[in-house]
Amino acid sequence: MERIAVLTSGGDAPGMNACIRAVVRTALNNKMDIYGVERGYAGLVEGKITRMNHRSVSDMIHKGGTFLKTARCPEFKDIEVQRKAVEALSAFGIDGLVVIGGDGTFRGAKDLYDNFGIKVVGIPGTIDNDLAYTDYTVGFDTAVNSVLWAINNLRDTMHSHDRVSLLEVMGRHCGDIALYAGVAGGAEYVLVPEIPYDLDAIASSIKKSYLRGKTSNMIILAEGAGNREEIIKTIQEKSGISVKVTNFGYIQRGGSPNMMDRILAARFGYKAVELLMNGCESCAIGIKDNKVITVPFEQVKKAKKEFDTELYNIAHTLSL
Ligand code: ADP
Ligand code: F6P
């Protein structure tokens, strides 16, 4: 293995740049040629591939987003489109690929290996933390800390005005961002897609807490757990108390990666190159109990994420 490439795909996540840096520097320091692919699979299909050197990743470790850029490329599910990507790789004489992204990105990587024998290693990079086989994905910790910053600020105003606040955060199928930020931020209610909730009970509990003199409440809603306007309408109607809404949106996707994401990025990037050097053909890297692990892509697909119900119960117990 002498010549490899790296790309970022799916939603951007803080720490992707630190991860690219780790891949590039590890490859170069092991006398391999390393190429960067622009805009994920879309750029790979178009042959947007550039040789990288040590300086290509200078001053990148602390920057959010991904300097290689990322894209959604739905047409990559088509084997003929994948073939174009393979042709681009072979035009550059590239024999191994590191992909940084989420579940969809790994599906594309698995196809490249299964259909064309391209050696691929996947690094989990997504703020959602929605991959079951790994405890954490690059970007999750920073995103949660950004949400925490928002909760802290909201608390000040909600407390000053005796208000109820609903903060919507990302997570279509996975409530981890809402759960971790909710516990760390002391939210009264955490609404996630994994656990059904009862709006009538929430409304009546908010009303009761008002009567007891607790006049500000914080609800954290994961985007996949329901429609925020409908939730607010129901709570307001049933409790008679107004709810102020904030959609935190893309702010949580950006920002300088914190320590945890930079360390994960360094460990994953280093391991990815080591695996390709040592003949690994196709696998995903993760972290379990603070040990870097590797698993086949089939296992990534099969593993079903277990929601942390204990932490969920802690969130609601501590908020009473
Ligand atoms: P993430 O990687 O964060 O889950 P996406 O779901 O958008 O983000 O997937 C990223 C990209 O991976 C897609 O835009 C597409 O190019 C590729 N991809 C997703 N699903 C598949 C699939 N089933 N087969 C091949 N490629 C896929
Ligand atoms: O997968 C990361 C994520 O931020 C999800 O939480 C969110 O639903 C989605 O990406 C938004 O994606 P887009 O960039 O397509 O708006």
Side-chain angles (χ1 to χ4, degrees), residues 287-305:
I287 189 147
K288 273 274 169 207
D289 303 325
N290 204 25
K291 296 265 179 303
V292 175
I293 56 157
T294 57
V295 299
F297 283 120
E298 290 79 51
Q299 204 170 312
V300 172
K301 244 169 83 178
K302 266 192 236 141
K304 201 173 154 15
K305 179 138 174 121

Side-chain angles (χ1 to χ4, degrees), residues 10-12 72 126-128 130 170-172 177 223 250 253:
D12 69 327
R72 314 268 187 200
T126 163
I127 64 164
D128 290 352
D130 56 350
M170 282 185 169
R172 269 172 299 186
I177 295 177
E223 62 177 329
Y250 291 102
R253 281 255 291 267

Side-chain angles (χ1 to χ4, degrees), residues 27-245:
L28 292 171
N29 291 329
N30 283 286
K31 308 213 175 331
M32 297 163 96
D33 292 342
I34 173 81
Y35 288 77
V37 181
E38 261 179 53
R39 297 176 50 251
Y41 293 126
L44 187 58
V45 170
E46 294 161 11
K48 301 268 188 224
I49 300 173
T50 314
R51 178 99 182 252
M52 307 192 85
N53 59 40
H54 280 87
R55 299 286 71 78
S56 311
V57 288
S58 295
D59 203 29
M60 281 296 162
I61 195 165
H62 62 298
K63 289 186 177 142
T66 159
F67 81 94
L68 284 179
K69 298 186 181 284
T70 182
R72 314 268 187 200
C73 175
E75 54 281 12
F76 200 69
K77 289 177 190 156
D78 179 343
I79 191 163
E80 291 314 316
V81 177
Q82 292 166 10
R83 196 185 303 282
K84 284 193 192 149
V86 173
E87 283 163 8
L89 286 171
S90 68
F92 282 83
I94 293 165
D95 12 64
L97 182 65
V98 178
V99 300
I100 307 168
D103 176 52
T105 301
F106 286 5
R107 283 171 204 266
K110 185 175 180 306
D111 282 0
L112 283 176
Y113 180 71
D114 291 350
N115 298 336
F116 301 97
I118 300 290
K119 298 184 181 80
V120 196
V121 174
I123 295 179
T126 163
I127 64 164
D128 290 352
N129 207 37
D130 56 350
L131 294 164
Y133 76 95
T134 180
D135 288 343
Y136 296 108
T137 56
V138 173
F140 171 66
D141 197 50
T142 306
V144 170
N145 278 291
S146 298
V147 174
L148 205 47
W149 167 84
I151 293 176
N152 293 343
N153 283 19
L154 282 172
R155 275 182 162 285
D156 292 345
T157 298
M158 295 303 130
H159 205 69
S160 304
H161 285 265
D162 293 334
R163 281 177 179 167
V164 177
S165 183
L166 182 143
L167 174 65
E168 181 175 310
V169 300
M170 282 185 169
R172 269 172 299 186
H173 310 291
C174 177
D176 276 19
I177 295 177
L179 176 65
Y180 281 68
V183 174
E188 276 73 19
Y189 306 95
V190 177
L191 311 184
V192 292
E194 293 89 341
I195 310 264
Y197 53 87
D198 178 351
L199 285 182
D200 288 356
I202 292 173
S204 108
S205 153
I206 288 174
K207 195 168 179 184
K208 273 190 209 141
S209 74
Y210 253 67
L211 297 174
R212 284 201 321 268
K214 179 175 164 45
T215 49
S216 73
N217 277 283
M218 174 78 65
I219 306 165
I220 310 293
L221 168 71
E223 62 177 329
N227 178 290
R228 64 173 177 267
E229 300 306 333
E230 280 168 21
I231 291 170
I232 293 166
K233 193 166 169 275
T234 310
I235 294 178
Q236 290 188 156
E237 274 171 15
K238 307 258 165 168
S239 68
I241 294 163
S242 105
V243 180
K244 299 288 177 187
V245 65

